[in-house]
Amino acid sequence: MELNKKALKILSEYDLLHPDETSEEDFQFAKDAGYMFDSITQTHDETIEFAFQELNKCKKKNMTDLFLSSLSSGRLDWRSGLSAYNILKVFPKHSEESNGANCIVCSSRPNELVDFSFINSIRFNIGAIISGRIYHLAFILQQHNKLPHVRPIIKDFDIFQSIIEIIRNAESNDTPSKVQKKIGKIEGFKSNKEQRKALLETLGFCSILETEEHKGFLHQFTNLGLAPRSRHSSDWLYPVDWWKGRDGINQDALKFWFDEYEELQKLFM
């Protein structure tokens, strides 16, 4: 699926704080191309129903195929779906229970004016989720379900294996920040700091990178809006925020997500 470079440039330059800086003409062009969207107000309960409808359309293999395929292609819009899928897979289906401002279960507001263009810009430019709020996860999964089924190539498998080996060989006190720097040196893997950070956070959501105390989302839900931070100034998302080199890799989680691939079997030996 070819990218519309003009529409993508408009989306990439979109500023959440200054949306009026995108001209009406440019916005309409990117909107017609399917890259930008009108912001609309959604309700908590309706969005949860919609999110689970999108979740039911998903297949794990399609998610991992697109995630792996993003590594050599640089198609970051193929990458964020795995995070949204993994979180929604254990997301409690519930009605809004407000504490006066946010839902006490998922920290989403009872209703929200959702800027889909901003979410999409993060999806295309970083390959990340913005938060664990249902409005963001539902949109990302909806857009992911529109993508074609893409099969990873050998280069994708090589890059992924290099990522896993770097993590396995990390020093005991290595932080995620140190690991992301090492990953940046992998041949053929074009990425910047924020993109590598998002990738490691995805592995955290998948429980591949977690700690004994701070688990990922493979078997349990954690409200990211209330999740503890390793330190006040940390900008890493839970649970990889708590990970250190000594925590290594959760081999069971790695197998759950990727053991269907013959090309990755040496990771499980």
Side-chain angles (χ1 to χ4, degrees):
M1 190 169 93
E2 290 295 322
L3 292 172
N4 185 318
K5 293 182 179 180
K6 179 180 177 181
L8 183 58
K9 184 174 187 294
I10 295 169
L11 177 69
S12 298
E13 294 174 351
Y14 180 72
D15 187 342
L16 175 67
L17 299 178
H18 304 283
D20 294 340
E21 291 183 0
T22 300
S23 69
E24 289 186 19
E25 180 182 0
D26 281 348
F27 177 83
Q28 192 60 49
F29 180 88
K31 179 182 173 182
D32 290 343
Y35 288 68
M36 297 188 75
F37 308 84
D38 293 318
S39 297
I40 62 171
T41 298
Q42 294 185 310
T43 67
H44 174 282
D45 290 1
E46 289 175 346
T47 306
I48 283 190
E49 286 296 327
F50 171 68
F52 276 88
Q53 290 172 14
E54 292 298 322
L55 180 65
N56 289 335
K57 299 176 186 176
C58 296
K59 294 182 179 179
K60 184 181 79 169
K61 184 64 158 48
N62 188 34
M63 290 290 167
T64 55
D65 276 353
L66 281 163
F67 173 82
L68 291 169
S69 298
S70 75
L71 299 176
S72 69
S73 65
R75 285 293 301 266
L76 297 166
D77 56 315
W78 294 354
R79 195 173 295 173
S80 60
L82 183 59
S83 294
Y85 170 71
N86 191 36
I87 293 172
L88 283 171
K89 190 168 56 64
V90 293
F91 196 93
K93 195 170 186 179
H94 64 284
S95 297
E96 181 256 322
E97 300 178 43
S98 178
N99 60 6
N102 300 321
C103 175
I104 61 175
V105 177
C106 67
S107 290
S108 300
R109 298 187 183 96
N111 55 73
E112 184 168 320
L113 180 64
V114 188
D115 191 328
F116 300 111
S117 298
F118 175 66
I119 302 171
N120 213 32
S121 69
I122 300 299
R123 178 172 163 261
F124 270 94
N125 293 326
I126 301 178
I129 63 169
I130 300 172
S131 73
R133 296 211 297 274
I134 192 63
Y135 305 108
H136 298 163
L137 300 176
F139 173 78
I140 289 172
L141 214 56
Q142 178 200 39
Q143 296 304 305
H144 207 75
N145 282 335
K146 295 178 180 180
L147 294 171
H149 189 177
V150 181
R151 176 81 175 128
I153 61 175
I154 292 298
K155 194 172 183 181
D156 296 313
F157 294 118
D158 289 344
I159 292 171
F160 186 69
Q161 288 183 116
S162 295
I163 291 170
I164 297 301
E165 289 306 316
I166 285 171
I167 295 169
R168 279 183 173 156
N169 293 323
E171 298 293 330
S172 177
N173 287 322
D174 276 0
T175 62
S177 294
K178 286 187 177 180
V179 171
Q180 72 82 11
K181 290 178 183 177
K182 294 177 183 179
I183 288 173
K185 298 176 182 178
I186 295 173
E187 185 177 353
F189 182 45
K190 295 180 180 179
S191 59
N192 61 33
K193 176 183 176 181
E194 286 300 310
Q195 293 161 2
R196 295 190 294 274
K197 176 175 175 288
L199 187 147
L200 291 176
E201 287 174 340
T202 297
L203 296 182
F205 300 142
C206 290
S207 294
I208 294 169
L209 296 184
E210 61 178 16
T211 74
E212 280 296 320
E213 185 177 353
H214 303 285
K215 298 293 186 181
F217 289 77
L218 184 59
H219 299 298
Q220 65 187 47
F221 173 75
T222 299
N223 182 346
L224 286 177
L226 299 176
R229 292 178 178 270
S230 63
R231 61 188 190 282
H232 183 70
S233 61
S234 175
D235 62 351
W236 287 81
L237 291 178
Y238 187 93
V240 77
D241 179 32
W242 292 89
W243 182 90
K244 292 284 182 67
R246 59 179 169 269
D247 296 303
I249 282 176
N250 180 337
Q251 192 74 359
D252 290 338
L254 185 66
K255 286 182 178 179
F256 174 83
W257 291 107
F258 298 105
D259 72 347
E260 292 183 53
Y261 298 98
E262 291 183 8
E263 298 89 345
L264 296 177
Q265 288 308 301
K266 64 181 180 181
L267 292 178
F268 311 120
M269 294 177 180

